[in-house]
Coordinates of all heavy atoms in Angstrom, one line a residue:
Chain R
I102 N 5.5 27.6 7.8 CA 6.5 28.4 8.3 C 6.4 29.8 7.7 O 6.4 30.0 6.5 CB 8.0 27.9 8.0 CG1 8.1 26.4 8.3 CG2 9.0 28.7 8.8 CD1 9.4 25.7 7.9
Q103 N 6.1 30.8 8.6 CA 6.0 32.2 8.2 C 7.3 32.9 8.2 O 8.1 32.6 9.1 CB 4.9 32.8 9.0 CG 3.5 32.2 8.9 CD 2.5 32.9 9.8 OE1 2.8 33.1 11.0 NE2 1.4 33.3 9.3
R104 N 7.5 33.8 7.3 CA 8.7 34.7 7.4 C 9.9 33.9 7.6 O 10.7 34.1 8.5 CB 8.5 35.8 8.5 CG 7.2 36.6 8.4 CD 7.2 37.6 9.5 NE 7.2 37.0 10.9 CZ 6.2 36.4 11.5 NH1 5.1 36.3 10.9 NH2 6.4 35.9 12.7
T105 N 10.2 33.0 6.6 CA 11.3 32.0 6.7 C 12.6 32.7 7.0 O 12.8 33.8 6.4 CB 11.4 31.1 5.5 OG1 11.4 32.0 4.3 CG2 10.2 30.2 5.4
Q106 N 13.4 32.1 7.7 CA 14.8 32.5 8.0 C 15.8 31.5 7.5 O 15.4 30.3 7.3 CB 15.0 32.7 9.5 CG 14.0 33.7 10.1 CD 14.2 35.1 9.7 OE1 15.3 35.6 9.6 NE2 13.1 35.7 9.3
Q107 N 17.0 31.8 7.3 CA 18.0 30.9 6.8 C 18.2 29.7 7.7 O 18.4 28.6 7.3 CB 19.3 31.6 6.5 CG 19.3 32.5 5.3 CD 20.6 33.1 5.0 OE1 21.4 33.4 5.9 NE2 20.9 33.3 3.7
E108 N 18.0 29.9 9.0 CA 18.2 28.8 10.0 C 17.1 27.8 9.9 O 17.1 26.7 10.5 CB 18.4 29.3 11.4 CG 17.2 30.1 11.9 CD 17.4 31.6 11.8 OE1 18.1 32.0 10.9 OE2 16.8 32.3 12.7
D109 N 16.0 28.1 9.1 CA 14.9 27.2 8.9 C 15.3 26.1 7.9 O 14.6 25.1 7.7 CB 13.6 27.9 8.5 CG 13.1 28.9 9.5 OD1 13.4 28.7 10.7 OD2 12.4 29.8 9.0
S110 N 16.4 26.3 7.2 CA 16.8 25.3 6.2 C 17.1 24.0 6.8 O 17.9 23.9 7.8 CB 18.0 25.9 5.4 OG 17.8 27.0 4.7
A111 N 16.4 23.0 6.3 CA 16.5 21.6 6.9 C 15.7 20.7 6.1 O 15.0 21.1 5.2 CB 16.1 21.6 8.3
V112 N 15.8 19.4 6.4 CA 14.8 18.4 5.9 C 13.7 18.3 6.9 O 14.0 18.0 8.0 CB 15.5 17.1 5.6 CG1 14.5 16.1 5.1 CG2 16.6 17.2 4.5
Y113 N 12.5 18.5 6.4 CA 11.3 18.3 7.3 C 10.7 17.0 7.0 O 10.3 16.7 5.9 CB 10.3 19.5 7.1 CG 10.9 20.8 7.6 CD1 11.8 21.5 6.9 CD2 10.5 21.2 8.9 CE1 12.4 22.7 7.4 CE2 11.0 22.4 9.4 CZ 12.0 23.1 8.7 OH 12.5 24.3 9.2
L114 N 10.7 16.1 8.1 CA 10.2 14.8 7.9 C 8.8 14.6 8.6 O 8.7 15.1 9.8 CB 11.2 13.8 8.6 CG 12.5 13.6 7.8 CD1 13.6 13.0 8.7 CD2 12.3 12.7 6.6
C115 N 8.0 13.9 8.0 CA 6.7 13.6 8.6 C 6.6 12.1 8.8 O 7.2 11.3 8.0 CB 5.6 14.0 7.6 SG 3.9 13.5 8.1
A116 N 6.0 11.7 9.9 CA 5.9 10.2 10.1 C 4.5 10.0 10.7 O 3.9 10.8 11.3 CB 6.9 9.8 11.1
S117 N 4.0 8.8 10.4 CA 2.7 8.4 11.0 C 2.8 7.0 11.6 O 3.8 6.2 11.3 CB 1.6 8.4 10.0 OG 1.7 7.4 9.0
S118 N 2.0 6.7 12.6 CA 1.9 5.4 13.1 C 0.5 5.0 13.5 O -0.4 5.9 13.6 CB 2.9 5.2 14.3 OG 2.3 5.8 15.5
L119 N 0.3 3.7 13.6 CA -1.1 3.3 13.8 C -1.6 3.7 15.2 O -2.8 4.1 15.4 CB -1.1 1.7 13.7 CG -2.5 1.1 13.6 CD1 -3.3 1.7 12.5 CD2 -2.3 -0.4 13.4
F120 N -0.7 3.5 16.2 CA -1.1 3.8 17.6 C -0.2 4.9 18.1 O 0.9 5.1 17.6 CB -1.0 2.6 18.5 CG -2.0 1.5 18.1 CD1 -1.5 0.3 17.6 CD2 -3.3 1.7 18.1 CE1 -2.4 -0.7 17.2 CE2 -4.2 0.7 17.7 CZ -3.7 -0.5 17.3
P121 N -0.6 5.6 19.2 CA 0.3 6.6 19.8 C 1.7 6.0 20.1 O 1.8 4.8 20.6 CB -0.4 7.0 21.1 CG -1.8 6.7 20.8 CD -1.8 5.5 19.9
G122 N 2.7 6.8 20.0 CA 4.0 6.3 20.3 C 4.4 5.3 19.2 O 3.9 5.3 18.1
S123 N 5.3 4.4 19.5 CA 5.7 3.4 18.6 C 6.0 2.1 19.3 O 6.4 2.1 20.4 CB 7.0 4.0 17.9 OG 7.5 3.0 17.0
S124 N 5.7 1.1 18.6 CA 6.0 -0.2 19.2 C 6.4 -1.1 18.1 O 6.4 -0.8 16.9 CB 4.8 -0.8 19.9 OG 3.8 -1.2 18.9
Y125 N 6.9 -2.3 18.5 CA 7.3 -3.2 17.4 C 6.2 -3.4 16.4 O 6.5 -3.6 15.2 CB 7.7 -4.5 18.1 CG 8.4 -5.5 17.1 CD1 9.7 -5.3 16.7 CD2 7.6 -6.5 16.5 CE1 10.3 -6.1 15.8 CE2 8.2 -7.4 15.6 CZ 9.5 -7.2 15.3 OH 10.1 -8.0 14.3
N126 N 5.0 -3.4 16.8 CA 3.9 -3.7 15.9 C 3.3 -2.4 15.3 O 2.4 -2.5 14.5 CB 2.8 -4.4 16.6 CG 3.2 -5.8 17.0 OD1 3.9 -6.5 16.2 ND2 2.9 -6.3 18.2
S127 N 3.8 -1.3 15.8 CA 3.3 0.0 15.3 C 4.4 1.0 15.1 O 4.5 2.0 15.8 CB 2.2 0.5 16.2 OG 1.7 1.7 15.7
P128 N 5.4 0.7 14.2 CA 6.5 1.6 14.1 C 6.1 2.9 13.4 O 5.1 3.0 12.8 CB 7.5 0.8 13.2 CG 6.6 0.0 12.4 CD 5.4 -0.4 13.3
L129 N 7.0 3.9 13.6 CA 6.9 5.1 12.8 C 7.2 4.8 11.3 O 8.2 4.2 11.1 CB 7.8 6.2 13.3 CG 7.4 6.9 14.6 CD1 8.5 7.9 15.0 CD2 6.1 7.5 14.6
H130 N 6.3 5.3 10.5 CA 6.6 5.2 9.0 C 6.9 6.7 8.6 O 6.0 7.5 8.7 CB 5.4 4.7 8.3 CG 5.1 3.2 8.6 ND1 5.7 2.2 7.8 CD2 4.4 2.7 9.6 CE1 5.2 1.0 8.4 NE2 4.5 1.3 9.4
F131 N 8.1 6.9 8.0 CA 8.5 8.2 7.6 C 8.2 8.4 6.1 O 8.4 7.5 5.3 CB 10.0 8.4 7.9 CG 10.3 8.7 9.3 CD1 10.5 7.7 10.2 CD2 10.4 10.0 9.8 CE1 10.8 8.0 11.6 CE2 10.7 10.3 11.1 CZ 10.9 9.3 12.0
G132 N 7.9 9.6 5.8 CA 8.0 10.0 4.4 C 9.4 10.3 4.0 O 10.3 10.2 4.8
N133 N 9.5 10.7 2.7 CA 10.9 11.0 2.2 C 11.4 12.4 2.6 O 12.5 12.7 2.3 CB 10.9 10.8 0.7 CG 10.7 9.4 0.2 OD1 11.1 8.5 0.9 ND2 10.1 9.2 -0.9
G134 N 10.5 13.2 3.1 CA 10.9 14.5 3.6 C 10.8 15.6 2.6 O 10.7 15.3 1.4
T135 N 10.8 16.8 3.0 CA 10.8 18.0 2.2 C 12.1 18.7 2.6 O 12.3 19.1 3.7 CB 9.7 18.9 2.4 OG1 8.5 18.3 2.0 CG2 9.9 20.2 1.7
R136 N 13.0 18.9 1.5 CA 14.2 19.6 1.8 C 14.0 21.1 1.5 O 13.7 21.5 0.4 CB 15.3 19.1 0.8 CG 16.7 19.8 1.1 CD 17.8 19.1 0.2 NE 17.9 17.7 0.5 CZ 18.6 17.2 1.5 NH1 19.3 18.0 2.3 NH2 18.7 15.9 1.7
L137 N 14.0 21.9 2.6 CA 13.8 23.3 2.5 C 15.1 24.1 2.5 O 15.9 23.9 3.4 CB 12.9 23.7 3.7 CG 12.6 25.3 3.8 CD1 11.8 25.7 2.6 CD2 11.9 25.6 5.1

Side-chain angles (χ1 to χ4, degrees):
Chain R
I102 309 173
Q103 296 178 310
R104 305 181 302 282
T105 51
Q106 304 293 314
Q107 286 186 327
E108 61 262 28
D109 299 335
S110 296
V112 175
Y113 288 80
L114 289 163
C115 175
S117 70
S118 76
L119 192 56
F120 296 117
S123 177
S124 72
Y125 186 78
N126 293 319
S127 181
L129 285 181
H130 294 266
F131 282 86
N133 291 330
T135 293
R136 183 175 299 277
L137 175 67

